[in-house]
Amino acid sequence: MSILELPKLKKHDYPETELLNWAKFMNAERQEEFEEMAEKDQYIEKAYEALKNISADEEKRLEYEAREKALRDHDYLMKSNWEAGLEAGKKIGINKGIEQGEGRVNRLIQLLIVNSRTDEIEKAVSDKEYQQALFRELHL
């Protein structure tokens, strides 16, 4: 796999390779540049001919642009829906975690009351380490 940084093509001199020719073709801005690259390679020439055909036919060009827009729109919607779903999932998870934590503390307090250990409730609520020790002790 190769990564091409097209803006850097004009800034540096690179050895002439097939990959460089394709990069120059993709980065071309004027018809002369396309034609020059097409003369160097038969495959680039075929790509240039296909590009000319698409550009010449207004209907095909509009179809191509509509397809590209549809793909961009699809990608945007997928990304935004993914992010919205992730955010909603986080909120649900946080809310469930809070509910479970509250339920666990409530069960602890109930067990302390049932076992006549009401004097420990205040310490269990204010001291997190003591609360964790009670959770372990009472298997909560």
Side-chain angles (χ1 to χ4, degrees):
M1 178 195 290
S2 298
I3 297 174
L4 305 173
E5 294 185 62
L6 298 178
K8 290 185 178 180
L9 285 177
K10 294 180 181 179
K11 295 179 185 176
H12 303 285
D13 287 327
Y14 295 102
E16 198 72 25
T17 64
E18 187 176 346
L19 181 61
L20 180 66
N21 289 338
W22 276 105
K24 286 181 179 178
F25 175 75
M26 289 186 282
N27 203 38
E29 295 175 356
R30 298 184 328 270
Q31 184 174 351
E32 296 81 30
E33 292 174 300
F34 284 113
E35 290 172 354
E36 179 184 330
M37 297 313 302
E39 290 173 6
K40 292 183 178 184
D41 185 296
Q42 66 178 351
Y43 298 109
I44 293 177
E45 182 179 7
K46 287 181 182 180
Y48 178 55
E49 290 301 320
L51 182 62
K52 285 194 306 188
N53 289 337
I54 290 172
S55 299
D57 187 343
E58 181 73 14
E59 186 178 334
K60 285 184 181 178
R61 185 180 62 77
L62 291 174
E63 287 175 6
Y64 170 78
E65 288 175 358
R67 176 165 165 58
E68 288 297 307
K69 182 184 181 315
L71 289 171
R72 284 191 306 273
D73 290 349
H74 177 266
D75 290 346
Y76 170 77
L77 288 172
M78 291 296 287
K79 182 179 181 201
S80 63
N81 287 337
W82 172 266
E83 289 170 354
L86 186 61
E87 195 61 35
K90 285 180 184 177
K91 286 180 183 177
I92 290 169
I94 289 170
N95 290 339
K96 284 191 179 209
I98 290 170
E99 286 176 19
Q100 288 175 350
E102 289 172 347
R104 192 173 177 209
V105 169
N106 289 339
R107 285 192 305 277
L108 174 63
I109 292 170
Q110 288 171 342
L111 285 173
L112 291 174
I113 291 170
V114 167
N115 292 320
S116 300
R117 295 169 64 178
T118 55
D119 54 319
E120 296 178 66
I121 293 173
E122 186 178 339
K123 187 174 180 183
V125 172
S126 60
D127 184 344
K128 293 296 177 189
E129 288 181 28
Y130 185 67
Q131 185 182 81
Q132 292 299 319
L134 287 173
F135 284 147
R136 286 188 297 276
E137 176 190 333
L138 299 171
H139 306 291
L140 294 175

